[in-house]
Amino acid sequence: MKKQVLLIAIFAIAAVTLAAQDLKTFRAYDPAADAQEGIRSAVTLAKKENKHVLVQIGGNWCIWCARFDQFTKTDPVADSLLKGSYVVYHLNYSKENKNLPVLASYNFPQRFGFPVFLVLDKNGKLLHTQNSGYLEDGKGYSKEKVSDFLTNWAPAALDPGKYKE
């Protein structure tokens, strides 16, 4: 019994240590950034490149935000889908800057927890709000679920020409 308790304690300490290490170097979010201007710039680029905007809302404090960022950079399918169909913007939510007016304009996506994703079309219109919990698998993200999400909200998926009879 004592061995089991000791093993559980060691595992818990290791898990906390690994999470802390993940967050030491994660700096995708800028608390001082003007989120409205950042989204405006992302929309301008998306329009020019005929892409959608993926707004990832979270903060440098968020382990799941860091995990998603790492996953999309290391998974070749997710990386390719993001680069081919989206302009990504990291919208900060932290004690320094919660960006509440911007989030209110997108129907309070923070209600789903963090990260939460907004898909905007090339004109800045909100198409979809994605709860990231539905994309998770264990302590990470599901390749299949993330791929499906990115594919199903890409500009090509919403092309009316694909659905003519």
Side-chain angles (χ1 to χ4, degrees):
M1 178 72 168
K2 287 184 181 182
K3 284 185 179 181
Q4 288 176 330
V5 172
L6 181 60
L7 285 174
I8 291 171
I10 290 170
F11 179 75
I13 291 169
V16 170
T17 302
L18 287 173
Q21 288 174 342
D22 288 350
L23 293 176
K24 280 184 182 178
T25 58
F26 180 64
R27 294 289 171 259
Y29 297 90
D30 180 2
D34 179 338
Q36 200 163 19
E37 181 55 37
I39 291 172
R40 192 175 304 124
S41 295
V43 167
T44 299
L45 183 58
K47 191 169 205 158
K48 180 180 173 185
E49 297 182 358
N50 199 31
K51 294 180 178 182
H52 284 165
V53 176
L54 181 71
V55 180
Q56 181 179 327
I57 305 166
N60 296 324
W61 52 267
C62 170
I63 189 62
W64 283 99
C65 300
R67 287 176 182 166
F68 188 81
D69 190 66
Q70 182 66 26
F71 172 79
T72 58
K73 288 177 179 172
T74 58
D75 181 78
V77 173
D79 182 57
S80 177
L81 288 168
L82 276 176
K83 288 178 179 171
S85 298
Y86 298 92
V87 172
V88 178
Y89 178 71
H90 290 84
L91 190 154
N92 183 76
Y93 182 95
S94 67
K95 62 183 177 183
E96 298 88 6
N97 184 359
K98 293 184 178 181
N99 283 303
L100 295 177
V102 174
L103 296 177
S105 73
Y106 291 108
N107 303 314
F108 312 99
Q110 69 271 35
R111 70 187 184 275
F112 296 113
F114 301 98
V116 60
F117 307 102
L118 304 178
V119 178
L120 311 179
D121 70 10
K122 64 183 178 183
N123 297 310
K125 177 185 170 197
L126 176 63
L127 299 174
H128 179 67
T129 301
Q130 179 66 49
N131 178 335
S132 68
Y134 296 130
L135 306 177
E136 295 171 7
D137 183 27
K139 297 273 185 197
Y141 285 92
S142 162
K143 291 175 182 264
E144 183 180 339
K145 291 174 186 176
V146 172
S147 175
D148 286 349
F149 163 60
L150 295 174
T151 299
N152 289 324
W153 288 102
L158 301 178
D159 178 5
K162 291 182 83 170
Y163 303 100
K164 289 184 181 178
E165 293 190 30

